[in-house]
Amino acid sequence: MSSTANSNNIATQLLKAIWHAAQGDEHLLNRVAFKGAGELPSVFAVTDLAAAAMGAAGLALSSLLDAIDLVLGGVATASTKTVTVDRRLASFWFAYSLRPIGWKPSSVEDFVMGDYETSDGWIRLHTNAPHHRAAALRALKLTAPSGRADIAQAVAIWPADALEAKVLAEGGCAATMRSWQDWQAHPHGQAVLSEPLLHWQSGAVIAKPLWSFNRSRPLQGLKVLDMTRVLAGPAATRMLAGLGAEVLRVDPPWWDEPTLAPEMTLGKRCTRLDLRNPSDRERWISLLSEADVLVHGYRSDALATLGLDAEERQKIRPGLVDVSLDAYGFTGPWKDRRGFDSLVQMSMGIAHAGQQLAGSTKPKPLPVQALDHATGYILATAALRGLEMRLRTGTGSIARASLARTGALLMTTLNHSEKNNQALAQETEADQSPAIESTFWGSARRLRWPVEASGVNMQWDQPSGPLGSSEATWRR
């Protein structure tokens, strides 16, 4: 079997796992075709995961179009629907899609963030946010470190697990590097591995779940409330915006993502609300009452403490498609733990496997933040499937996914053939869309969208812009 055929077989198996988790019709799987050769450099099948996750979202769109045809026209045209995924472009989208013209996105990484050797292993400190950096420095009893060497010296005297616990107690983010074997024996690893890739629960019934369909822009007229940060959730809502949905992103007043905003706010309006403030919370409830889809990435206890748990959200907006994500899953001792892609890779054995199989002296993470991006497209799949269920039955839905559970799916592709992988062909100008995007920061182009679905025009009606630049209102 050729390397391309083997890769497409792996992508097909991953697609099947995601589609099964999304409760999709297995007979539709043959609509999806993968094209292109090459792999991202990894001991894991990262390119296959990228193609499968984006392919699942494309298949969910195709299945939604079936429902649209049936509800509006009384017939389904399944035989004419195809989904084609460009593996190479999917790999590129798992890194960055934006190509600035004459400017560069700002960088906020500081010298504290990174992997450090401890007295008994390795730990990763995640400190991009100022309050997370301050928490790490408090844990290390450092007030004004002059450079990375000071951090390394302070970390070196700590056992990894003890420092991890201390940073978390201070309100920060950190992760000990564990092996896959250790993760499988860990109480939380066992909890995550027993979870489904997608948790599903039926929601409340809506009386009239129809909207005015534009086949080339199938989500036009729908409202998506985006309560996500960084990569996974924003990747999901970026796709929904590209299908025509009105996406309103809501961030607290103190949060910013200057590096990622040009990449992840494409097609969205962005506002700020503090849900701990009663008036802002009432404004948010008003927005939710008109939303068709809610995507949020808050820890599982965060909205519940404000009296806005999933059950209450269904009361506020019957028929709501409620999609959420968490770093470490929704059961087990770490279900409320803060986390990011790079931390989950350390916790569950991905960075350790990369180190061991590459013969490296340091942790070796994935070449892209694949857990974030893959989970994002799994969330988009869930949102589209939820809309289809609502269209067919009038019932809302609640779906949940986690980076750690997506990581477990990736772990099934662990192999020893990184050196034998065919490299992806270098990007060319032909890989970029011809349109110029006038972002807030300057002109740019985007990579072409990797997924082709029959009759659907993937485009974004609004260029990327900074967080907090719009009013907390729906446009239409």
Side-chain angles (χ1 to χ4, degrees):
M1 181 182 292
S2 69
S3 60
T4 299
N6 183 57
S7 293
N8 286 341
N9 182 58
I10 295 172
T12 298
Q13 292 304 310
L14 294 172
L15 169 66
K16 185 175 181 179
I18 297 169
W19 190 238
H20 181 265
Q23 301 184 356
D25 183 348
E26 189 166 353
H27 293 94
L28 301 184
L29 284 167
N30 60 10
R31 292 185 183 180
V32 181
F34 300 103
K35 69 177 183 179
E39 305 283 336
L40 285 166
S42 178
V43 297
F44 296 93
V46 179
T47 285
D48 297 286
L49 179 65
M54 299 190 85
L59 186 55
L61 172 62
S62 180
S63 187
L64 174 60
L65 293 175
D66 283 351
I68 292 172
D69 289 341
L70 187 61
V71 171
L72 290 189
V75 295
T77 56
S79 61
T80 66
K81 296 188 178 72
T82 59
V83 177
T84 304
V85 185
D86 187 314
R87 293 165 45 84
R88 178 168 157 274
L89 285 176
S91 301
F92 293 163
W93 271 82
F94 265 47
Y96 296 98
S97 68
L98 187 75
R99 299 296 181 263
I101 301 173
W103 60 279
K104 292 182 179 180
S106 62
S107 175
V108 295
E109 286 196 10
D110 60 74
F111 65 85
V112 179
M113 182 169 168
D115 300 333
Y116 295 89
E117 196 163 10
T118 65
S119 64
D120 62 351
W122 287 85
I123 193 169
R124 181 169 183 82
L125 304 179
H126 195 286
T127 59
N128 270 4
H131 59 291
H132 291 159
R133 180 169 58 252
L137 295 179
R138 285 196 303 271
L140 293 168
K141 295 182 169 55
L142 293 173
T143 55
S146 59
R148 190 173 175 83
D150 289 351
I151 309 298
Q153 183 177 5
V155 169
I157 64 174
W158 281 82
D161 285 350
L163 181 55
E164 177 189 67
K166 180 62 175 175
V167 172
L168 292 172
E170 292 289 347
C173 300
T176 296
M177 184 174 77
R178 296 174 173 84
S179 70
W180 174 235
Q181 290 73 25
D182 288 343
W183 183 245
Q184 292 177 89
H186 191 281
H188 192 75
Q190 293 175 351
V192 169
L193 293 173
S194 69
E195 293 183 7
L197 187 60
L198 274 169
H199 297 251
W200 283 100
Q201 182 180 341
S202 294
V205 176
I206 187 172
K208 295 181 178 180
L210 300 179
W211 64 95
S212 298
F213 295 114
N214 175 345
R215 186 173 186 80
S216 67
R217 307 284 287 145
L219 300 191
Q220 195 170 65
L222 297 187
K223 297 179 174 66
V224 177
L225 193 57
D226 180 357
M227 301 283 290
T228 64
R229 302 175 182 175
V230 192
L231 291 178
T237 53
R238 180 180 60 188
M239 179 178 178
L240 300 181
L243 294 171
E246 177 183 357
V247 178
L248 180 63
R249 173 169 167 163
V250 180
D251 288 281
W254 59 85
W255 183 260
D256 203 4
E257 294 174 9
T259 300
L260 294 172
E263 175 70 20
M264 287 296 179
T265 60
L266 176 63
K268 309 173 189 179
R269 292 166 54 246
C270 302
T271 192
R272 295 191 184 278
L273 292 173
D274 184 352
L275 268 62
R276 297 174 302 181
N277 178 296
S279 62
D280 280 7
R281 186 161 61 250
E282 287 303 313
R283 174 67 68 87
W284 184 83
I285 290 172
S286 176
L287 292 170
L288 181 66
S289 70
E290 297 182 48
D292 297 283
V293 178
L294 168 68
V295 185
H296 82 83
Y298 284 74
R299 297 195 314 277
S300 54
D301 62 336
L303 290 177
T305 59
L306 296 172
L308 296 169
D309 61 15
E311 182 178 356
E312 182 63 24
R313 297 195 295 269
Q314 289 290 324
K315 293 178 181 177
I316 294 169
R317 178 51 159 147
L320 179 69
V321 177
D322 190 319
V323 182
S324 63
L325 74 148
D326 192 84
Y328 285 103
F330 298 89
T331 61
W334 290 7
K335 65 186 178 71
D336 297 328
R337 176 177 290 212
R338 299 175 182 87
F340 296 88
D341 182 306
S342 59
L343 299 180
V344 176
Q345 289 190 48
M346 289 287 276
S347 294
M348 66 176 298
I350 292 174
H352 179 267
Q355 177 194 33
Q356 294 296 307
L357 294 175
S360 174
T361 60
K362 298 180 179 180
K364 186 176 181 182
L366 302 173
V368 293
Q369 291 184 269
L371 305 188
D372 261 331
H373 287 277
T375 304
Y377 294 108
I378 292 172
L379 294 170
T381 301
L384 292 166
R385 289 284 296 127
L387 287 170
E388 179 185 344
M389 294 174 192
R390 191 180 79 167
L391 180 62
R392 291 183 184 273
T393 69
T395 304
S397 58
I398 302 166
R400 299 179 296 178
S402 72
L403 303 185
R405 186 57 184 81
T406 300
L409 178 64
L410 178 63
M411 190 61 75
T412 65
T413 73
L414 180 62
N415 63 76
H416 300 262
S417 60
E418 177 180 355
K419 293 181 180 179
N420 298 324
N421 286 347
Q422 178 184 347
L424 295 168
Q426 292 293 313
E427 181 185 326
T428 69
E429 188 173 350
D431 295 319
Q432 300 174 14
S433 298
I436 301 296
E437 180 183 337
S438 299
T439 79
F440 172 83
W441 301 271
S443 298
R445 293 172 69 184
R446 294 272 171 180
L447 288 174
R448 290 188 292 109
W449 183 245
V451 184
E452 295 180 9
S454 301
V456 174
N457 180 24
M458 193 71 175
Q459 68 179 50
W460 289 268
D461 300 328
Q462 180 159 324
S464 57
L467 302 186
S469 55
S470 297
E471 294 295 319
T473 59
W474 293 114
R475 184 160 46 199
R476 52 181 183 264

